[in-house]
Short mmCIF file of all heavy atoms in Angstrom, two decimals:
data_model
loop_
_atom_site.label_atom_id
_atom_site.label_comp_id
_atom_site.label_asym_id
_atom_site.label_seq_id
_atom_site.Cartn_x
_atom_site.Cartn_y
_atom_site.Cartn_z
N VAL A 11 30.42 19.36 -42.34
CA VAL A 11 29.52 18.54 -41.52
C VAL A 11 28.26 19.30 -41.08
O VAL A 11 27.15 18.76 -41.18
CB VAL A 11 30.26 17.98 -40.29
CG1 VAL A 11 29.30 17.13 -39.44
CG2 VAL A 11 31.46 17.16 -40.71
N ALA A 12 28.42 20.54 -40.63
CA ALA A 12 27.25 21.29 -40.17
C ALA A 12 26.26 21.58 -41.31
O ALA A 12 25.07 21.24 -41.19
CB ALA A 12 27.68 22.59 -39.49
N PRO A 13 26.68 22.18 -42.43
CA PRO A 13 25.72 22.40 -43.51
C PRO A 13 25.20 21.09 -44.10
O PRO A 13 24.04 20.99 -44.50
CB PRO A 13 26.51 23.21 -44.55
CG PRO A 13 27.94 23.01 -44.21
CD PRO A 13 27.98 22.81 -42.73
N GLN A 14 26.05 20.09 -44.15
CA GLN A 14 25.64 18.76 -44.62
C GLN A 14 24.47 18.25 -43.78
O GLN A 14 23.48 17.71 -44.31
CB GLN A 14 26.86 17.85 -44.47
CG GLN A 14 26.72 16.41 -44.89
CD GLN A 14 28.05 15.70 -44.70
OE1 GLN A 14 28.63 15.72 -43.60
NE2 GLN A 14 28.56 15.10 -45.75
N THR A 15 24.56 18.45 -42.48
CA THR A 15 23.51 18.00 -41.56
C THR A 15 22.23 18.80 -41.75
O THR A 15 21.14 18.24 -41.95
CB THR A 15 23.99 18.12 -40.11
OG1 THR A 15 25.18 17.34 -39.93
CG2 THR A 15 22.91 17.64 -39.14
N HIS A 16 22.34 20.11 -41.67
CA HIS A 16 21.15 20.97 -41.75
C HIS A 16 20.43 20.83 -43.09
O HIS A 16 19.20 20.78 -43.15
CB HIS A 16 21.54 22.43 -41.53
CG HIS A 16 22.03 22.72 -40.14
ND1 HIS A 16 21.29 22.47 -39.02
CD2 HIS A 16 23.21 23.24 -39.71
CE1 HIS A 16 21.98 22.83 -37.94
NE2 HIS A 16 23.14 23.30 -38.34
N LEU A 17 21.20 20.77 -44.16
CA LEU A 17 20.59 20.69 -45.49
C LEU A 17 19.97 19.32 -45.75
O LEU A 17 18.96 19.22 -46.45
CB LEU A 17 21.61 21.04 -46.56
CG LEU A 17 22.07 22.50 -46.57
CD1 LEU A 17 23.22 22.71 -47.55
CD2 LEU A 17 20.92 23.44 -46.90
N THR A 18 20.55 18.28 -45.20
CA THR A 18 19.94 16.95 -45.35
C THR A 18 18.61 16.89 -44.61
O THR A 18 17.62 16.35 -45.13
CB THR A 18 20.89 15.86 -44.81
OG1 THR A 18 22.08 15.84 -45.59
CG2 THR A 18 20.23 14.49 -44.89
N ILE A 19 18.57 17.46 -43.43
CA ILE A 19 17.30 17.52 -42.69
C ILE A 19 16.28 18.32 -43.47
O ILE A 19 15.11 17.93 -43.58
CB ILE A 19 17.52 18.14 -41.29
CG1 ILE A 19 18.39 17.22 -40.42
CG2 ILE A 19 16.17 18.38 -40.59
CD1 ILE A 19 18.78 17.81 -39.08
N ALA A 20 16.71 19.45 -44.03
CA ALA A 20 15.80 20.29 -44.80
C ALA A 20 15.27 19.56 -46.03
O ALA A 20 14.08 19.61 -46.35
CB ALA A 20 16.49 21.59 -45.21
N ALA A 21 16.16 18.87 -46.74
CA ALA A 21 15.75 18.13 -47.94
C ALA A 21 14.76 17.02 -47.59
O ALA A 21 13.74 16.84 -48.28
CB ALA A 21 16.97 17.55 -48.64
N ASP A 22 15.04 16.30 -46.54
CA ASP A 22 14.12 15.24 -46.11
C ASP A 22 12.78 15.84 -45.66
O ASP A 22 11.73 15.21 -45.81
CB ASP A 22 14.73 14.42 -44.98
CG ASP A 22 15.66 13.32 -45.50
OD1 ASP A 22 15.78 13.19 -46.73
OD2 ASP A 22 16.26 12.60 -44.68
N GLY A 23 12.82 17.06 -45.13
CA GLY A 23 11.58 17.72 -44.75
C GLY A 23 10.70 18.01 -45.95
O GLY A 23 9.48 17.85 -45.91
N VAL A 24 11.34 18.45 -47.04
CA VAL A 24 10.59 18.71 -48.28
C VAL A 24 9.98 17.40 -48.79
O VAL A 24 8.80 17.35 -49.15
CB VAL A 24 11.49 19.31 -49.36
CG1 VAL A 24 10.74 19.41 -50.69
CG2 VAL A 24 11.97 20.70 -48.94
N LEU A 25 10.78 16.36 -48.82
CA LEU A 25 10.30 15.08 -49.33
C LEU A 25 9.19 14.51 -48.44
O LEU A 25 8.24 13.89 -48.94
CB LEU A 25 11.47 14.09 -49.42
CG LEU A 25 12.58 14.51 -50.38
CD1 LEU A 25 13.76 13.54 -50.30
CD2 LEU A 25 12.07 14.60 -51.81
N ALA A 26 9.29 14.74 -47.15
CA ALA A 26 8.27 14.24 -46.22
C ALA A 26 6.94 14.96 -46.40
O ALA A 26 5.88 14.44 -46.04
CB ALA A 26 8.75 14.40 -44.78
N SER A 27 6.98 16.17 -46.99
CA SER A 27 5.74 16.92 -47.18
C SER A 27 4.83 16.28 -48.22
O SER A 27 3.64 16.60 -48.30
CB SER A 27 6.06 18.37 -47.58
OG SER A 27 6.53 18.43 -48.92
N GLN A 28 5.39 15.38 -49.03
CA GLN A 28 4.59 14.75 -50.08
C GLN A 28 3.35 14.06 -49.52
O GLN A 28 2.26 14.19 -50.07
CB GLN A 28 5.44 13.71 -50.83
CG GLN A 28 6.43 14.29 -51.81
CD GLN A 28 7.22 13.21 -52.53
OE1 GLN A 28 8.15 12.64 -51.99
NE2 GLN A 28 6.81 12.91 -53.74
N SER A 29 3.53 13.30 -48.46
CA SER A 29 2.39 12.55 -47.91
C SER A 29 1.32 13.48 -47.38
O SER A 29 0.12 13.21 -47.52
CB SER A 29 2.86 11.61 -46.79
OG SER A 29 3.43 12.33 -45.72
N ARG A 30 1.73 14.61 -46.81
CA ARG A 30 0.76 15.57 -46.29
C ARG A 30 -0.03 16.21 -47.43
O ARG A 30 -1.24 16.34 -47.36
CB ARG A 30 1.49 16.63 -45.47
CG ARG A 30 2.13 16.06 -44.20
CD ARG A 30 3.05 17.07 -43.54
NE ARG A 30 3.56 16.58 -42.28
CZ ARG A 30 4.60 15.76 -42.18
NH1 ARG A 30 5.23 15.36 -43.25
NH2 ARG A 30 5.01 15.35 -40.99
N PHE A 31 0.67 16.57 -48.50
CA PHE A 31 -0.02 17.18 -49.63
C PHE A 31 -0.89 16.17 -50.36
O PHE A 31 -1.92 16.53 -50.93
CB PHE A 31 0.99 17.80 -50.60
CG PHE A 31 1.37 19.21 -50.23
CD1 PHE A 31 2.63 19.50 -49.74
CD2 PHE A 31 0.45 20.25 -50.35
CE1 PHE A 31 2.97 20.79 -49.39
CE2 PHE A 31 0.79 21.54 -50.01
CZ PHE A 31 2.05 21.82 -49.52
N THR A 32 -0.49 14.93 -50.36
CA THR A 32 -1.32 13.89 -50.98
C THR A 32 -2.66 13.80 -50.27
O THR A 32 -3.72 13.70 -50.91
CB THR A 32 -0.61 12.52 -50.94
OG1 THR A 32 0.57 12.59 -51.74
CG2 THR A 32 -1.51 11.42 -51.48
N GLN A 33 -2.63 13.85 -48.96
CA GLN A 33 -3.87 13.80 -48.18
C GLN A 33 -4.72 15.05 -48.40
O GLN A 33 -5.95 14.97 -48.51
CB GLN A 33 -3.55 13.61 -46.70
CG GLN A 33 -2.97 12.24 -46.39
CD GLN A 33 -2.56 12.10 -44.95
OE1 GLN A 33 -1.91 13.00 -44.40
NE2 GLN A 33 -2.92 11.00 -44.33
N ILE A 34 -4.05 16.19 -48.47
CA ILE A 34 -4.78 17.44 -48.72
C ILE A 34 -5.42 17.39 -50.10
O ILE A 34 -6.58 17.77 -50.30
CB ILE A 34 -3.84 18.65 -48.60
CG1 ILE A 34 -3.35 18.80 -47.15
CG2 ILE A 34 -4.54 19.92 -49.05
CD1 ILE A 34 -2.23 19.82 -47.00
#
């Protein structure tokens, strides 16, 4: 549960960076 949680947040963080890089 703990690594599942942290890694899911991390993965979504990477995916969320797409919109920022698109603007850049």
Side-chain angles (χ1 to χ4, degrees):
V11 180
Q14 180 178 54
T15 301
H16 294 302
L17 292 173
T18 296
I19 294 174
D22 276 358
V24 173
L25 298 174
S27 73
Q28 284 181 281
S29 62
R30 295 170 175 82
F31 274 109
T32 295
Q33 292 176 314
I34 294 170

